[in-house]
Amino acid sequence: GQNIDQPTEMTATEGAIVQINCTYQTSGFNGLFWYQQHAGEAPTFLSYNVLDGLEEKGRFSSFLSRSKGYSYLLLKELQMKDSASYLCAVVDSNYQLIWGAGTKLIIKP
Amino acid sequence: GAVVSQHPSWVICKSGTSVKIECRSLDFQATTMFWYRQFPKQSLMLMATSNEGSKATYEQGVEKDKFLINHASLTLSTLTVTSAHPEDSSFYICSASPTGQDTYEQYFGPGTRLTVT
């Protein structure tokens, strides 16, 4: 079966750095997305990785290792508004999106 | 660009009634649209894939006669929850994939919160 694992919840301090991991076992791989979802709102796109390595975009970076079936989202200089759920989603061999359950990130002052 | 709207944003209805939710791509055409449901503290669950001019493809366990999907134009898909029950209360989110692009490139609407009393 297809499986995506993320921690259920993480807590971090304002101004700090946090890394949210995502491991996947899917039938094929055609890319991995990270989305941010605030409570009661729809997901918003953060990043898309299809090649190995680190993609940096402002305070957010996303890393992918296809051989390890592993990705992480790195958030720097955390702000209170970063409190949200972070969803990892993988595009499988049929070009379907397989969603992780999401990681709820709690930022404390 | 790539804006998707949903209407209504929230709706409260009585058990046994039907509710229609609209999903519109405002500045692009979308051959394919997706309908998701999300229960509190859970991830998105794909309900169905809607293709313009053809029948929707429903995920396993989703009743097609209860969740009617119509994708009559390249900018509009509708989801009708028929004979709604309290267990149908959820956050319904649509997404749209621009025509000509891979369908995993999806733009999400803001969601519709349905409460059935």
Side-chain angles (χ1 to χ4, degrees), chain A residues 37 40 42 48 91 95 99-101, chain B residues 36 38 43 91 104 106 108-109:
Chain A
Q37 186 179 24
Y48 173 65
V91 184
Y95 292 91
W99 293 89
Chain B
Y36 294 86
Q38 186 174 35
S43 190
F91 191 46
Y104 57 81
Q106 301 176 25
F108 287 87

Side-chain angles (χ1 to χ4, degrees), chain A residues 27-86:
Chain A
S27 57
F29 178 85
N30 283 295
L32 184 145
F33 286 91
W34 282 98
Y35 283 87
Q36 180 190 61
Q37 186 179 24
H38 285 101
E41 299 180 11
T44 55
F45 170 83
L46 288 178
S47 66
Y48 173 65
N49 293 65
V50 66
L51 299 176
D52 289 348
L54 185 69
E55 298 263 352
E56 297 185 73
K57 190 184 297 184
R59 294 189 299 114
F60 292 8
S61 302
S62 56
F63 171 83
L64 174 67
S65 169
R66 289 172 295 172
S67 63
K68 296 182 179 179
Y70 167 70
S71 173
Y72 68 72
L73 181 69
L74 190 71
L75 292 76
K76 303 176 184 177
E77 301 170 18
L78 286 171
Q79 302 175 10
M80 297 303 293
K81 67 179 182 179
D82 297 330
S83 292
S85 287
Y86 291 85

